[in-house]
Structure formats: structure tokens, C-alpha cells
Amino acid sequence: MKAKTKQILMGLIALGIVVACIFGWRMMSQDKGDKTITITIVVDNDTIYSEDVSTNSSTLADLLKELQEAKEIQLTYSNSTYGMYIQGMGTEELYLEDSTASKYWTYDSSNNAQCVKNKFCAAADQLTIADGDQFIFTLKAYED
């Protein structure tokens, strides 16, 4: 009886070690991100942020929220009927849109598949991102 108890105990310990290793490996691989996206923020022709970011996010909106939570960027937005509407971005300082000066946040990508195919970028929460994508966010004044 003692031999069987030892075998069962050893089996449970081995199983516990295997489960712990698998869990640890999955946690480490999640932290790295499976794609790298370049995010650039431009205000008044000055680049205030330009970084290659590793992420597991599937949409641009999720990536921006991830950067905000990590305190890499500041971000304010609202959800409109058209999707995520960016009202302000920045790093140390938050730059807000200014409707009286006709200044609004825009973004573009020269290599995101959806942006290239449609000749414009969809709302950030509807825009799927892929490894190597590059996005430029610009606070831009529009003339009437």
C-alpha cells in the first residue's frame, strides 16, 4: 500500500510541475506580444512620440488603450456611432482637439492592409492591426 501511495504522490508532483511550467511559459509569451507596431504622434510638425510597440492587441483602439494603461501615452476619446473618436493625445502633455481653430486628430498608415485597400483608415476600434504596421497620428488644422 505504501508503494502505491508513493507512486500516486510522485505522479501528482510531476503533474504539478508540468502544469506550472506550461502556465509560466504561456505568461512569458503573452508579455512579449506577437506583433510590433510603430506609433508616431505629431503635434505642430513636431514628433512627440515615435516607438515600436510589441502587442497582442487585435485592433488599433485596443493598442492605444494598452499604451494609455501603461502610461506610454495620454489619450482621451469618445465612442461615436462611427467608432472610437480621438479627442486628445500626447505624452507628457495632452493635446486636445480645438474645434474653434478647426484642429482635429487624424491618423493614417501607408502599410496597414485595410487603410491601403480602402484608401483611408477606418475607426480605430474597427481597424485590424498586423505585424509591421505603422500609424501616424497628427493634430491637424483644417481650413474652411
Side-chain angles (χ1 to χ4, degrees):
M1 193 76 162
K2 282 186 172 184
K4 273 194 168 189
T5 304
K6 272 187 178 180
Q7 288 176 340
I8 291 172
L9 185 58
M10 293 302 282
L12 288 174
I13 290 172
L15 181 63
I17 290 171
V18 169
V19 169
C21 289
I22 291 171
F23 180 76
W25 175 79
R26 290 189 78 202
M27 291 302 289
M28 286 183 359
S29 65
Q30 283 181 346
D31 290 341
K32 292 179 184 175
D34 62 352
K35 53 192 146 214
T36 301
I37 310 297
T38 302
I39 300 291
T40 303
I41 302 174
V42 178
V43 176
D44 296 328
N45 295 320
D46 291 327
T47 300
I48 63 167
Y49 182 87
S50 186
E51 295 290 332
D52 293 336
V53 180
S54 295
T55 186
N56 287 319
S57 296
S58 58
T59 66
L60 183 58
D62 290 340
L63 173 57
L64 294 174
K65 291 173 189 175
E66 181 181 308
L67 291 173
Q68 179 187 29
E69 288 175 18
K71 301 197 183 313
E72 286 283 319
I73 65 168
Q74 293 186 42
L75 175 70
T76 60
Y77 64 92
S78 62
N79 293 311
S80 72
T81 56
Y82 302 104
M84 178 188 233
Y85 177 73
I86 297 170
Q87 298 167 313
M89 293 184 87
T91 52
E92 285 126 30
E93 180 180 345
L94 180 64
Y95 295 91
L96 296 170
E97 69 179 3
D98 182 357
S99 59
T100 58
S102 295
K103 288 177 95 171
Y104 299 96
W105 279 100
T106 63
Y107 58 92
D108 195 18
S109 175
S110 60
N111 70 341
N112 173 272
Q114 283 179 267
C115 296
V116 171
K117 179 182 175 189
N118 297 327
K119 297 186 173 125
F120 70 92
C121 292
D125 51 350
Q126 299 167 6
L127 188 61
T128 304
I129 57 176
D131 187 42
D133 281 353
Q134 301 170 347
F135 293 94
I136 299 174
F137 293 83
T138 308
L139 183 58
K140 195 179 223 179
Y142 290 90
E143 296 182 23
D144 295 331

